[in-house]
Amino acid sequence: MAAISQLNQFPCKTLSSKTPLFSHFSSSRPSIIPLNSIKNNPTSNNSILKPRILVTREQPTKKRSLFLVKAVDEGEGSPENEGPPVALAEKGEEELKELAEVDRLKGQLVDTFYGTDRGLNATSETRAEVVELITQLEARNPNPAPTEALTLLNGKWILAYTSFAGLFPLLSSGTLPLVKVEEISQTIDSENLTVQNSVQFSGPLATTSISTNAKFEVRSPKRVQIKFEEGIIATPKLTDSIELPENVELLGQTIDLTPFRGIISSVQDTASSVAKTISSQPPLKFSIPNRNAESWLLTTYLDDDLRISRGDAGSIFVLIKEGSPLLTP
């Protein structure tokens, strides 16, 4: 309407009813001056033609329709209000850059674990670097309320790094001759609210595992309370063939194992029969003292293949989902 009022204020020559051309403006539809009427009318001239064109009814109609279309676009929440294509493209680029940055940080974090034996042999510089990378990932946590995304917690998680001193004696046992800690894992069942922590050992004669079963309760969007119920020592599995290295390092000395090969060969002959006897035995279960029966865990980062948790003693646990490419060296 503002456009129409401005157009009405445009100066033009007023035509009287005596003017021969006045009859054309009284028509209900837009009119065009016939050329022959201009030629035959001695009173017609350019000064009459110009105002006649300016006040034609098509111009205000066009102005009004443009105004109404604009009002609908701006006031009724049209899709264009979500942002112009350029802004949407920039938003998409920012999300891709953020995902790329998270992947870079995760890869760099896993690289720092190399040679640390899950944190046991990490230097102070390495620990500081790990903390810095973890802090950056926690700031980009795609699931800020992990306990509300329990399906992501489901499955088996492999421990890649920890600063928990309580695990160091266990990790140190892997440095003993012929004994190796193959894997430390945590399996979560969100439907039954259970957690199983497991450690697998291997040696020249057998492999076994020690695990603890626990229940957990959700206490906050990030925190769960864990109550351990029992411990289990799995039935050892004896190997059919014993592979003995040529030598081992013990207390800084190299010990030659060649003289023991004869003894090992005689043991190997009876290994199969012993394995059948032991494998028929059930696993050994034991109770957990009350003072060690409860703990809590805070998950500070969670996605499809990486989980970062902090324990009640300020310790850090970095776990990788089984099957993740992050586990590939």
Side-chain angles (χ1 to χ4, degrees), residues 122-137:
T123 63
S124 57
E125 292 80 4
T126 299
R127 294 188 185 281
E129 185 179 359
V130 168
V131 171
E132 175 61 26
L133 291 170
I134 286 176
T135 302
Q136 294 184 50
L137 282 170

Side-chain angles (χ1 to χ4, degrees), residues 82-100:
E82 296 179 1
V86 175
L88 292 175
E90 291 178 352
K91 182 179 180 181
E93 289 179 1
E94 290 178 359
E95 291 178 352
L96 290 176
K97 289 180 180 178
E98 182 67 12
L99 291 174

Side-chain angles (χ1 to χ4, degrees), residues 109-131 160-164 168 171-172 316:
L109 177 64
V110 173
D111 288 343
T112 61
F113 301 155
Y114 180 78
T116 66
D117 194 8
R118 304 177 183 87
L120 174 67
N121 300 322
T123 63
S124 57
E125 292 80 4
T126 299
R127 294 188 185 281
E129 185 179 359
V130 168
V131 171
Y161 175 90
T162 185
S163 63
F164 180 45
F168 289 164
L171 295 175
S172 298
I316 295 173

